[in-house]
Amino acid sequence: MSPTQSGPTEREARKVAEAARESEWIKPSFGKELFLGRLRLDLVDPWPTNSPEQVAAGEAFLERLRVFIEGVDGAAIEAEASIPDEVFTGLAELGAFGMKLPTQYGGLGLSHLYYCKALTLAGSAHSSLGTLLSAHQSIGVPQPVKMFGSEEQKQRFLPRVAGGEVSAFLLTEPDVGSDPARLACSATPVDGGYLLNGVKLWATNGTIASLLVVMARVPAGEGRRGGITAFVVEADSPGITVENRNAFMGLRGIENSVTRFHDVFVPAENVLGGEGRGLKIALTTLNTGRLSLPALCVTAAKWCLNVARGWPAERVQWGRPVGRHEALATKISHIAATAYALEAMLDLSCLLADDDANDIRIEAALLKLYASEQAWTIADELVQIRGGRGFETAASQRARGERGIEAEQVLRDLRIMRIFEGSTEIMHLLIAREAVDAHLAVAGDIIDPEASREDKIKAVAKAGAFYATWLPTLVAGKGAVPTSFAEFGPLAAHVRYLERTTRKLARSIFYGMGRWQGAMERKQAFLGRVVDIGAELFAMTAACLRAKAERAEHPEGVELADLFCQQARVRIGALFTALWENTDDADDDAAKKVLAGRYTFLEGGIVLPSDEGPWVSPVVAGPSAKPDVRRHLPQPGGR
């Protein structure tokens, strides 16, 4: 559907997205408090821990998994663009497909912390392995059924996926990405269930899955709530065709599909959580599911650090190892400091999810955003450090007798992390919406063009009461006291900076709200910088807390935390400046002109792309005319 065709208006699309949000904040949230100008260290300090039983079970599984992963040939996966059957079988035998599922359903019952440690380990053999396990467990059948399924559904589906059957999550469509109001896949009520019709794009694990979580729209009426609904679907149901295995610049081993549904019958007992709750289920699942992608970013950061330590010490230019030249030393320093902070953010977020005392939706989103961006930068810096060898494939290096280092592969594999499960731009908007939620809640009818005069008067009074209480808290705090946070030792100055800057960030949000009011929701560049400052503050907090908690075991961690905080403070300073000194308006005007074709003369002098196909593939109703290309894995337990 093109922008000129009929479809939901922007207001209607916003209402759909808003309805799917978890607007209630029942549990405390460090991230939400951060954007309100309050550094709530009491929510994260002391550093949370798993129980001794969780640690014992997690460490034992990691040991078994390490033995298996060391025997996986990652180069073969890259060369063949496929994960061998025996790897699937081995992972299933280890229980890796049910790591977070309770033992009563056949799972291992691991904590979020050890689940992510396992993904980090598995991804070190090849990123496709971590993606396989993550897509299956974080957004596939295990997580949403565990969270929202009935007991009957849990008994029916969870033992199967824990035993090694692969699952996939199907939401995206050829013309539907982050705007769910445009969802076209339909679920028509019939006797005993529903008939699914539509096409789903980019379903990771889609060519090998035996169970699917499918989002489809149920029509309202006749006593039905209707709306976007989640279904658990048997992948071998009549009417399902896997039309294509998609190929990408990285993650060459993943099995990603275009899947068509034509009059696919799904029984009513396979509806997950009730009609109309599909998007809420998806977003709630992602609150913890987003922790899995940063685990793979941590894998890449650790791998890059290892290479950045070895190669620049051996390679000599102009009489010195290249790592001793300042131009590369700054890159090595950034890689080491950021790898430390990324692991601290991941571990802290996982531990907060494990103790279940906090609402971590903002922390998980900040982590996904920050880790994907920083890991990409780290990999890019490593390619630069390696020079020509960074651009060369590992196979080519081995062919001429050198150690094969997959720097270019890591870069390719990481690029999707800035898009998967919410692109950087969408994550900025999602986090910003939560960050300014308190302001929008009190502003409410003041900025609502459809509100009555009476409602606006009431809203002004409500806002006045809120800001009269809140604004004075942003004037002064512990960060201005030179002796505060002494328990952090040499990092105390950074924690004082954190406290001061948290208040400064909240004041900036307030200034923006006063300047643009309801229109601030459209100031996406401004909100993106606000979120980036919050992400840096969260990263600094995690790094300082980790260093403090591990001081006896790893005193050198204090050095890395201090280094990271120094680097982050430089970035934060630039972001604050850019909040008010930028070219946002000029950029927006220029983009309009580019899209209108004003500057097409710049495209002359080259041969332009010759493919005349549509920008977005048309969704044609009816059965598929293409062959089914799904890959059939040996099923565990002889299924």
Side-chain angles (χ1 to χ4, degrees):
M1 185 183 295
S2 71
T4 58
Q5 293 175 307
S6 61
T9 64
E10 181 178 0
R11 185 176 181 84
E12 291 169 338
R14 284 175 177 267
K15 284 185 176 180
V16 171
E18 280 295 298
R21 287 180 65 233
E22 289 182 274
S23 55
E24 269 192 289
W25 290 87
I26 299 172
K27 299 176 183 178
S29 165
F30 176 83
K32 184 174 178 64
E33 293 290 316
L34 192 70
F35 287 104
L36 286 171
R38 297 189 281 259
L39 184 67
R40 289 287 306 278
L41 290 179
D42 59 297
L43 297 177
V44 290
D45 188 27
W47 186 263
T49 58
N50 277 172
S51 69
E53 293 77 17
Q54 288 175 314
V55 172
E59 291 294 339
F61 176 72
L62 288 181
E63 199 55 44
R64 297 193 302 273
L65 180 63
R66 175 177 290 277
V67 173
F68 176 78
I69 289 298
E70 287 175 346
V72 173
D73 188 347
I77 293 175
E78 185 69 13
E80 300 296 327
S82 180
I83 299 172
D85 285 358
E86 57 268 24
V87 174
F88 283 100
T89 302
L91 290 171
E93 290 173 349
L94 284 169
F97 289 97
M99 286 187 275
K100 284 197 299 179
L101 290 178
T103 55
Q104 69 190 86
Y105 302 115
L108 298 180
L110 296 186
S111 65
H112 285 94
L113 177 67
Y114 279 98
Y115 167 65
C116 284
K117 285 182 179 294
L119 293 179
T120 298
L121 176 58
S124 62
H126 195 280
S127 294
S128 296
L129 293 182
T131 305
L132 159 72
L133 295 172
S134 167
H136 163 71
Q137 290 173 89
S138 294
I139 57 175
V141 166
Q143 188 71 5
V145 170
K146 183 178 77 169
M147 294 181 69
F148 296 98
S150 65
E151 184 57 34
E152 185 275 333
Q153 288 173 330
K154 293 176 184 177
Q155 294 285 355
R156 189 151 47 101
F157 297 124
L158 294 186
R160 289 172 56 182
V161 291
E165 290 192 46
V166 180
S167 66
F169 175 76
L170 285 72
L171 171 63
T172 304
E173 298 175 4
D175 195 32
V176 179
S178 298
D179 180 3
R182 300 172 68 89
L183 194 81
C185 187
S186 64
T188 306
V190 295
D191 187 29
Y194 303 79
L195 288 182
L196 295 188
N197 283 279
V199 177
K200 294 294 185 179
L201 177 64
W202 296 327
T204 300
N205 295 345
T207 64
I208 56 174
S210 58
L211 283 172
L212 314 171
V213 176
V214 182
M215 297 293 168
R217 188 184 299 278
V218 177
E222 298 182 4
R224 291 184 174 277
R225 175 182 178 179
I228 298 173
T229 303
F231 298 87
V232 180
V233 182
E234 299 282 354
D236 60 358
S237 300
I240 297 180
T241 305
V242 177
E243 293 187 335
N244 191 57
R245 183 195 177 200
N246 302 310
F248 305 100
M249 67 183 287
L251 296 180
R252 287 173 49 81
I254 64 171
E255 300 281 347
N256 186 286
S257 71
V258 175
T259 301
R260 179 179 295 273
F261 298 85
H262 177 64
D263 288 342
V264 177
F265 177 75
V266 182
E269 57 265 28
N270 283 26
V271 171
L272 197 56
E275 285 187 5
R277 298 196 66 204
L279 284 182
K280 190 173 288 289
I281 287 172
L283 291 178
T284 304
T285 298
L286 280 174
N287 283 340
T288 54
R290 284 198 176 97
L291 300 177
S292 61
L293 292 187
L296 301 179
C297 294
V298 168
T299 303
K302 287 173 172 285
W303 188 94
C304 289
L305 176 60
N306 178 266
V307 177
R309 178 172 59 85
W311 160 257
E314 295 290 330
R315 174 69 163 169
V316 175
Q317 292 283 278
W318 299 301
R320 304 176 70 189
V322 295
R324 294 301 305 122
H325 292 282
E326 188 175 88
L328 295 191
T330 57
K331 298 182 186 300
I332 296 169
S333 170
H334 175 257
I335 291 172
T338 307
Y340 181 84
L342 291 184
E343 187 170 44
M345 292 176 77
L346 175 62
D347 288 359
L348 178 59
S349 298
C350 286
L351 288 164
L352 290 174
D354 285 329
D355 71 19
D356 202 31
N358 290 271
D359 187 324
I360 68 155
R361 73 182 88 164
I362 289 185
E363 290 87 336
L366 286 172
L367 171 60
K368 189 274 174 185
L369 166 69
Y370 193 77
S372 61
E373 289 292 329
Q374 289 295 332
W376 167 258
T377 301
I378 285 173
D380 184 59
E381 287 179 334
L382 180 67
V383 168
Q384 195 69 18
I385 290 170
R386 289 274 291 167
R389 289 172 174 84
F391 191 66
E392 187 180 13
T393 67
S396 176
Q397 295 165 47
R398 294 187 189 103
R400 54 186 177 79
E402 286 193 6
R403 180 185 299 191
I405 299 297
E406 298 90 345
E408 58 84 29
Q409 179 191 326
V410 170
L411 193 69
R412 288 187 289 105
D413 288 347
L414 276 173
R415 187 58 185 85
I416 190 60
M417 300 302 173
R418 299 172 64 205
I419 300 172
F420 260 167
E421 295 182 18
S423 69
T424 290
E425 293 71 27
I426 292 300
M427 295 308 297
H428 275 147
L429 298 181
L430 183 152
I431 299 165
R433 182 60 184 83
E434 302 292 356
V436 302
D437 189 61
H439 301 279
L440 294 177
V442 297
D445 290 330
I446 299 176
I447 60 177
D448 187 349
E450 297 183 1
S452 67
R453 182 173 181 274
E454 182 180 346
D455 287 339
K456 286 182 181 291
I457 292 173
K458 291 179 180 178
V460 168
K462 179 182 176 183
F466 171 78
Y467 287 119
T469 304
W470 177 68
L471 285 173
T473 68
L474 305 182
V475 176
K478 288 180 67 176
V481 179
T483 57
S484 62
F485 303 111
E487 66 272 22
F488 284 87
L491 299 175
H494 293 308
V495 183
R496 290 194 291 273
Y497 169 87
L498 278 169
E499 197 278 335
R500 297 193 305 273
T501 309
T502 298
R503 289 186 282 111
K504 181 179 179 180
L505 176 61
R507 292 196 300 270
S508 298
I509 295 172
F510 175 71
Y511 297 154
M513 194 74 191
R515 180 173 178 177
W516 295 299
Q517 299 186 32
M520 191 164 84
E521 282 193 289
R522 295 177 178 274
K523 302 298 291 183
Q524 295 176 359
F526 173 86
L527 291 173
R529 296 182 193 106
V530 164
V531 169
D532 286 339
I533 292 169
E536 293 282 5
L537 295 176
F538 179 42
M540 287 179 64
T541 302
C544 289
L545 287 172
R546 178 186 179 185
K548 175 172 170 277
E550 298 178 347
R551 193 157 38 192
E553 182 184 0
H554 293 295
E556 65 274 25
V558 174
E559 300 168 9
L560 288 169
D562 175 53
L563 175 61
F564 175 79
C565 288
Q566 291 183 57
Q567 295 171 353
R569 289 171 70 161
V570 173
R571 294 190 293 267
I572 290 170
L575 285 166
F576 269 118
T577 298
L579 283 178
W580 313 109
E581 299 177 20
N582 53 64
T583 59
D584 293 347
D585 291 340
D587 294 338
D588 186 61
D589 183 60
K592 291 176 185 176
K593 293 175 181 176
V594 170
L595 295 177
R598 179 173 177 81
Y599 304 130
T600 53
F601 74 94
L602 279 176
E603 299 166 15
I606 64 168
V607 177
L608 296 172
S610 58
D611 195 326
E612 297 296 328
W615 289 104
V616 177
S617 59
V619 178
V620 181
S624 176
K626 298 180 180 179
D628 197 308
V629 298
R630 76 184 77 194
R631 172 183 171 190
H632 296 282
L633 296 175
Q635 292 300 316
R639 279 189 56 84

